[in-house]
């Protein structure tokens, strides 16, 4: 299984475990992620959800070969990726993320829907949607400006600029930077703190914290998803993906 799960001591641990492919996420993995988060929310013994990758990498984002092969068949809001988005953004229980190494694409945007995020000092975040001929996803066009301010968000989304661990803290994407080898253990301790707190109070506080943006997030996510789907078949996206597979720099000079 490329997504490993374990429930122990009140914590539902969800591990992205495909290191041979840099933890690139397939359609099947999105379904597994959605199922794991949904099950954790339904389990009365679970007080918190912990999401992490491998010591070397969080996730390289979508598995592009799988993504392109499945995209013509997996259309609509019932696609596994959207099930995962709804499960994570709608989680009533607190979600803690531990990030080591690269977090690309949805590896970064998913963190905006987690409650606590910790990373090591060599973590690198990126949202290369424009460079792939696409647009932001998972409500990142709303949540990134809310957290970091418009101009900083525009720099990272319009130019697809990577975000260092230090910048991630400044941009309020990450709570804290930890030394290598300590991120997961610290995130586990933070998740364990929820097992000592009254669960109804935790759930209600999370609901209140997010209530102001809930409708806006849902609306933005839908709008982005519709735009993303249209842009997948655009000439620019075709050039970007072809260049990726041919291991060359894309040429967008003929487009206007």
């Amino acid at each position: 299984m490329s997504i490993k799960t374990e429930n122990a001591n009140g914590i539902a641990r969800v591990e992205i475990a495909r290191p041979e492919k840099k933890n690139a996420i397939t359609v099947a993995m999105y379904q597994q992620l959605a199922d794991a988060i949904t099950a954790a929310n339904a389990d009365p013994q679970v007080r918190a959800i912990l999401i992490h990758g491998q010591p070397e990498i969080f996730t390289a984002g979508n598995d592009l070969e799988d993504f392109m092969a499945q995209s013509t068949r997996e259309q609509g809001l019932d696609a596994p990726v959207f099930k995962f988005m709804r499960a994570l953004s709608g989680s009533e229980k607190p979600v803690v993320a531990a990030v080591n190494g690269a977090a690309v694409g949805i590896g970064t945007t998913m963190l905006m829907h987690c409650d606590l995020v910790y990373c090591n000092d060599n973590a690198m975040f990126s949202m290369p949607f424009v460079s792939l001929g696409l647009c932001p996803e998972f409500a990142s066009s709303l949540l990134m400006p809310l957290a970091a301010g418009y101009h900083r968000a525009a720099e990272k989304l319009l130019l697809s600029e990577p975000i260092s661990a230090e910048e991630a803290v400044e941009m309020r994407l990450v709570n804290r930077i930890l030394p290598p080898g300590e991120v997961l253990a610290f995130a586990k301790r933070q998740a364990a703190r929820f097992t000592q707190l009254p669960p109804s109070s935790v759930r209600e506080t999370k609901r209140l914290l997010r209530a102001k943006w809930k409708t806006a997030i849902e609306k933005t996510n839908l709008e982005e998803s519709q735009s993303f789907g249209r842009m997948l078949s655009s000439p620019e996206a075709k050039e970007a993906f072809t260049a990726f597979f041919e291991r060359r720099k894309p040429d967008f000079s003929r487009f206007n």
Side-chain angles (χ1 to χ4, degrees), residues 7 12 32-44 46 49 87 93:
N7 288 5
Q32 293 168 19
L33 286 166
D35 291 344
I37 294 169
T38 300
N41 272 280
D43 188 341
V46 170
I49 301 167
K93 297 179 181 180

Side-chain angles (χ1 to χ4, degrees), residues 208-223:
L208 290 168
L209 279 168
R210 292 179 170 264
K212 301 175 184 64
W213 300 288
K214 182 176 185 294
T215 300
I217 288 171
E218 292 172 352
K219 181 180 177 181
T220 304
N221 197 24
L222 177 60
E223 185 176 2

Side-chain angles (χ1 to χ4, degrees), residues 133-178:
L134 301 171
C135 67
E137 39 126 78
F138 213 171
S140 56
S141 64
L142 169 70
L143 295 174
M144 183 56 75
L146 276 176
Y150 174 81
H151 293 97
R152 197 75 177 271
E155 188 174 55
K156 302 307 180 183
L157 285 167
L158 287 172
L159 296 176
S160 299
E161 283 194 355
I163 302 168
S164 68
E166 291 77 12
E167 285 182 302
V169 172
E170 292 172 9
M171 296 171 67
R172 303 184 181 94
L173 180 63
V174 168
N175 290 83
R176 190 180 304 184
I177 301 171
L178 294 152

Side-chain angles (χ1 to χ4, degrees), residues 67-85:
F67 180 71
M68 295 307 293
Q70 299 281 350
S71 61
T72 57
R73 300 196 301 272
E74 297 290 345
Q75 296 296 324
L77 297 179
D78 285 330
V81 63
F82 297 126
K83 291 179 180 178
F84 163 65
M85 289 179 177

Side-chain angles (χ1 to χ4, degrees), residues 92-123:
E92 295 181 351
K93 297 179 181 180
V95 181
V96 181
V99 181
N100 289 293
V104 180
I106 199 162
T108 291
T109 60
M110 75 164 71
L111 301 176
M112 301 176 200
H113 300 271
C114 297
D115 301 291
L116 302 175
V117 181
Y118 303 100
C119 74
N120 68 0
D121 52 12
N122 73 347

